[in-house]
Amino acid sequence: MFRRWSSSQHQDNDPLQHEVKINELKAAIGPLSGRSLQFCTDACFRRYLEARNWNVDKAKKMLEETLKWRSTYKPEEICWREVANEGETGKVYRASFRDRSGRTVLILRPGMQNTVSIDNQMRHLVYLIENAVFNLPEGQEQMAWLIDFTGWTLSTTVPVKSARDTINILQNHYPERLGVAFLYNPPRIFEAFWKIVKYFLDNKTFHKVKFVYPKNKDSVELMKQYFDEKNLPTEFGGHAILNYDHEEFSKLMTQDDVRSAAFWGRDDKLPHYGNGHSGAEVAPEPVCLAPVAS
């Protein structure tokens, strides 16, 4: 029994075995075309295998479910103009800085909730997850989340079902995309909510969630290992001033929509605004693209 476990453990850490598993998964999935072919890069196959402990059959099932979800939900077709009203308070947005590993950072401020439609809130979050992945530097596969609980109350808490659905989308359709999530100074009343929500997390995701309390030196030091204090907003114990400007962020997202449309071959989805702003007014900057949301 021990030998069997030891052999399996060795295979999971063997780069040559990883390549074999990736090729097995490719063969199991079969021929792909269109956006599914774009999505299923080698890095994508690797992440799904890692999420299922390099079990090809389980990874195949997981990836097939994602391809089906993407074909119906079409996350790559969501444009900023469709979700911009959700972002007016800056409850979720991509930060202008990265962590020490070069990960894209999403800042979440649940206390800034401004809408009631769960479906629209989910589309907004999915849009920003896709955007965070789209803006990953070459060679980096993961993002980091910073969650600020300022202003959070039970009245602004999302329903448990919505929290479960969010976790399911992140775990099942963006496996191994989350590198770390810091929950900064959550109030005591959050504990009751967390006791329920944590059971929806798989073991890998659970261990990526870190609680940070300003008066707890060890948790603060842990956060410093991931972030440069010069970049980190004061709301998270750093030195940077956090000012969310919805108009400026909208311009940035418009630029990204243009680049995303070109990548996915959906030029017909380029944003057109009735307020005098068009996609052509904001010239996209050349960047080195990582494999998008695969």
Side-chain angles (χ1 to χ4, degrees):
M1 181 182 198
F2 175 78
R3 283 196 300 272
R4 212 163 38 238
W5 177 88
S6 178
S7 173
S8 173
Q9 187 80 348
H10 174 71
Q11 287 183 10
D12 288 349
N13 294 319
D14 184 347
L16 293 178
Q17 282 296 322
H18 288 179
E19 292 303 316
V20 170
K21 295 281 188 179
I22 288 172
N23 289 329
E24 286 180 9
L25 181 55
K26 285 182 182 179
I29 291 294
L32 296 168
S33 61
R35 293 179 186 174
S36 293
L37 181 60
Q38 281 181 279
F39 180 79
C40 290
T41 62
D42 280 6
C44 171
F45 288 123
R46 179 181 296 275
R47 281 193 308 276
Y48 278 79
L49 284 163
E50 286 179 354
R52 290 297 179 259
N53 296 314
W54 295 91
N55 182 300
V56 174
D57 291 336
K58 291 180 179 180
K60 174 179 180 286
K61 182 175 184 294
M62 186 185 196
L63 181 52
E64 286 177 337
E65 289 173 353
T66 291
L67 293 176
K68 182 178 179 180
W69 174 77
R70 292 186 70 90
S71 71
T72 55
Y73 199 87
K74 300 185 184 301
E76 76 281 1
E77 290 194 5
I78 303 173
C79 292
W80 177 247
R81 72 172 185 269
E82 300 168 11
V83 296
N85 67 307
E86 292 286 339
E88 288 178 354
T89 60
K91 64 187 176 189
V92 187
Y93 67 98
R94 176 166 58 84
S96 59
F97 60 90
R98 304 182 190 275
D99 73 359
R100 294 186 187 276
S101 297
R103 299 186 183 104
T104 306
V105 178
L106 283 186
I107 292 180
L108 296 86
R109 302 188 291 180
M112 304 294 283
Q113 183 57 262
N114 62 321
T115 61
V116 295
S117 171
I118 301 300
D119 289 342
N120 289 343
Q121 291 169 10
M122 189 69 71
R123 281 177 65 80
H124 177 238
L125 179 61
V126 168
Y127 171 87
L128 287 166
I129 290 175
E130 289 275 321
N131 182 267
V133 172
F134 189 78
N135 282 280
L136 287 171
E138 186 174 3
Q140 178 54 262
E141 294 289 315
Q142 297 183 318
M143 58 186 159
W145 286 14
L146 288 175
I147 305 175
D148 173 19
F149 281 89
T150 301
W152 184 90
T153 64
L154 286 177
S155 64
T156 58
T157 302
V158 298
V160 171
K161 181 181 181 302
S162 299
R164 183 183 62 194
D165 291 346
T166 300
I167 291 169
N168 285 342
I169 285 177
L170 181 65
Q171 291 183 158
N172 296 333
H173 303 313
Y174 297 92
E176 298 302 312
R177 281 302 195 185
L178 182 66
V180 65
F182 281 99
L183 279 62
Y184 192 82
N185 202 27
R188 185 174 294 275
I189 56 174
F190 178 75
E191 293 178 7
F193 182 72
W194 175 247
K195 285 180 180 179
I196 299 172
V197 171
K198 69 180 182 181
Y199 289 107
F200 303 141
L201 299 173
D202 62 33
N203 190 53
K204 285 188 175 183
T205 305
F206 179 80
H207 285 95
K208 293 175 182 178
V209 177
K210 315 293 183 184
F211 285 77
V212 178
Y213 299 93
K215 295 182 181 179
N216 183 309
K217 184 178 179 181
D218 290 341
S219 66
V220 171
E221 288 301 316
L222 176 64
M223 197 167 186
K224 289 180 181 178
Q225 293 177 21
Y226 286 83
F227 295 94
D228 188 329
E229 287 181 279
K230 293 182 296 184
N231 297 328
L232 203 60
T234 55
E235 287 83 352
F236 296 97
H239 304 314
I241 303 300
L242 175 64
N243 287 314
Y244 175 76
D245 186 319
H246 185 61
E247 184 176 348
E248 289 301 315
F249 189 72
S250 293
K251 290 179 181 178
L252 181 63
M253 294 301 97
T254 301
Q255 293 178 9
D256 285 351
D257 281 352
V258 173
R259 295 193 293 114
S260 176
F263 179 88
W264 290 109
R266 53 174 180 84
D267 292 338
D268 59 316
K269 292 283 287 184
L270 291 179
H272 297 284
Y273 292 90
N275 61 358
H277 292 90
S278 69
E281 287 185 291
V282 186
E285 298 177 2
V287 295
C288 183
L289 294 180
V292 179
S294 58

